[in-house]
Amino acid sequence: MEAELTALAASGATAFVGLMVTEAWTQARGRVARFLARGEDVDVIDAELEESREELTAARAAADDDAIADVEEEWRIRLRRALRANPEAADELRTLLDELSPLGAAGPAVSVTNSISGGTQNGPVFQGQTFSALTFNSGRGADAPEQRPGTA
């Protein structure tokens, strides 16, 4: 049982640290903090998680693999201690990890095929679900005359 809890703690730390550098962390952080608090002040744990996220972000920017590993190791140890103190929390952690995993959130894989029809496309075509901060350049020179719809 000890080896299983150690492996679960390692999986949890890897998942939590991986989430810390994604947009999903804002939704996951509160749930992770509540799980880790276990009788402690949730706000204290939340602050510790945020501090780790800042350390991790700085370490990634500096390409400091040792610092990244240190953050993960810190949370692995904390999770292992929490699971040793309360082995019943293992099922709760497994459920939390399943819910936070990209596969669990996305559900089964779906194959999508898109096609473009209806004539010549004179610009970029994007197909997808979510786009942000896109910039389109027309390729027109600064001194080219502006064309109005319906004119050539």
Side-chain angles (χ1 to χ4, degrees):
M1 185 67 163
E2 178 67 27
E4 182 182 338
L5 293 179
T6 299
L8 181 58
S11 294
T14 300
F16 294 164
V17 169
L19 279 170
M20 285 180 187
V21 294
T22 68
E23 290 181 22
W25 181 243
T26 55
Q27 287 85 29
R29 189 174 81 192
R31 295 186 64 201
V32 171
R34 284 189 298 278
F35 172 81
L36 291 167
R38 303 242 168 248
E40 296 179 43
D41 186 356
V42 173
D43 292 335
V44 171
I45 301 297
D46 188 62
E48 291 172 352
L49 287 166
E50 185 58 23
E51 183 179 328
S52 288
R53 189 193 67 76
E54 290 170 5
E55 289 174 23
L56 187 62
T57 301
R60 287 185 58 162
D64 186 348
D65 291 339
D66 290 336
I68 293 169
D70 288 347
V71 171
E72 187 170 326
E73 179 70 7
E74 173 187 348
W75 289 106
R76 185 187 62 75
I77 290 168
R78 289 194 59 181
L79 280 170
R80 190 179 70 223
R81 286 181 182 152
L83 291 173
R84 280 184 181 160
N86 185 2
E88 296 80 33
D91 287 335
E92 186 180 343
L93 179 57
R94 283 186 197 96
T95 300
L96 179 61
L97 292 174
D98 287 345
E99 291 172 2
L100 295 177
S101 73
L103 181 59
V110 176
S111 177
V112 176
T113 303
N114 293 306
S115 62
I116 300 171
S117 63
T120 302
Q121 307 301 317
N122 294 315
V125 176
F126 293 87
Q127 293 182 317
Q129 182 174 353
T130 305
F131 297 101
S132 63
L134 294 177
T135 303
F136 296 94
N137 297 315
S138 68
R140 238 183 346 110
D143 44 349
E146 182 178 333
Q147 291 185 341
R148 282 174 272 186
T151 64

